[in-house]
């Protein structure tokens, strides 16, 4: 299993993984999510990296990472973080350690960039996802709440 940064040649395989990920989003929160189309520009953005898990030329999963600065608010420490925008492993290859390899690579990415911590979000209905993140050292720090204005 090779973990590496994605390149332009990986875009078509990544689009298929993103479709699978977005279908999960629609299943968990149809009020907010649709299956969208990712442009080439999305994959070429300079303020992000996509780490891929590859085996025999096939991408089995990815971690979409960004370096962000904490909001500049008086009560918050001035820290930087790795934000995992998305992490997905092909459904047929889950629970085989691929996600953990991607998480380890995401943490190394943060260390290489001198950040203070790593953050992501997970749907509360995604019990397997919650278990995965907890197994990889994450803990719940805050709950996001919302209300419809209808």
């Amino acid at each position: 299993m090779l973990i590496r940064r994605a390149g332009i040649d990986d875009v078509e395989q990544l689009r298929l993984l993103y479709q699978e990920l977005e279908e999960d989003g629609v299943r968990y929160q149809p009020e907010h999510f649709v299956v969208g189309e990712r442009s080439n520009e999305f994959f070429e953005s300079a303020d992000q990296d996509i780490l891929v898990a590859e085996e025999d030329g096939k991408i089995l999963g990815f971690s979409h990472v960004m370096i962000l600065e904490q909001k500049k608010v008086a009560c918050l420490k001035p820290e930087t973080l790795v934000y995992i925008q998305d992490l997905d492993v092909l459904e047929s290859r889950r629970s085989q350690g691929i996600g953990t390899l991607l998480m380890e690579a995401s943490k190394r990415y943060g260390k290489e960039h001198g950040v203070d911590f790593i953050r992501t979000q997970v749907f509360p209905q995604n019990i397997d996802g919650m278990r995965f993140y907890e197994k990889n050292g994450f803990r719940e720090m805050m709950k996001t709440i919302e209300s419809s204005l209808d």
Side-chain angles (χ1 to χ4, degrees), residues 36-141:
E37 180 66 30
R38 304 281 173 162
S39 68
N40 284 351
E41 291 78 25
F42 169 82
F43 293 104
E44 297 169 357
S45 175
D47 62 350
Q48 67 183 3
D49 277 302
I50 299 176
L51 308 174
V52 297
E54 178 185 23
E55 185 177 78
D56 299 325
K58 182 171 181 174
I59 295 176
L60 304 177
F62 71 91
S63 178
H64 176 175
V65 292
M66 296 181 233
I67 304 296
L68 302 177
E69 289 186 21
Q70 187 73 286
K71 292 179 184 177
K72 296 190 186 312
V73 178
C75 64
L76 293 177
K77 293 180 179 180
E79 297 176 304
T80 57
L81 63 127
V82 172
Y83 183 71
I84 299 176
Q85 176 68 36
D86 295 303
L87 190 146
D88 187 48
V89 173
L90 280 172
E91 189 170 2
S92 63
R93 296 298 302 267
R94 292 179 186 164
S95 299
Q96 298 177 19
I98 298 167
T100 298
L101 291 173
L102 287 165
M103 183 59 67
E104 290 168 356
S106 299
K107 289 178 179 180
R108 273 194 310 278
Y109 179 89
K111 288 178 183 176
E112 290 166 5
H113 287 83
V115 305
D116 299 296
F117 63 96
I118 189 166
R119 172 183 287 157
T120 193
Q121 295 176 310
V122 61
F123 295 115
Q125 308 94 318
N126 185 351
I127 304 303
D128 291 337
M130 289 291 296
R131 198 173 311 127
F132 166 78
Y133 286 113
E134 288 169 357
K135 179 181 139 199
N136 282 279
F138 286 73
R139 65 185 199 275
E140 187 175 302
M141 298 299 292

Side-chain angles (χ1 to χ4, degrees), residues 11-19 37-40:
V11 168
E12 291 310 312
Q13 289 187 71
L14 286 168
R15 278 193 178 104
L16 294 173
L17 279 162
Y18 261 104
Q19 180 175 345
E37 180 66 30
R38 304 281 173 162
S39 68
N40 284 351

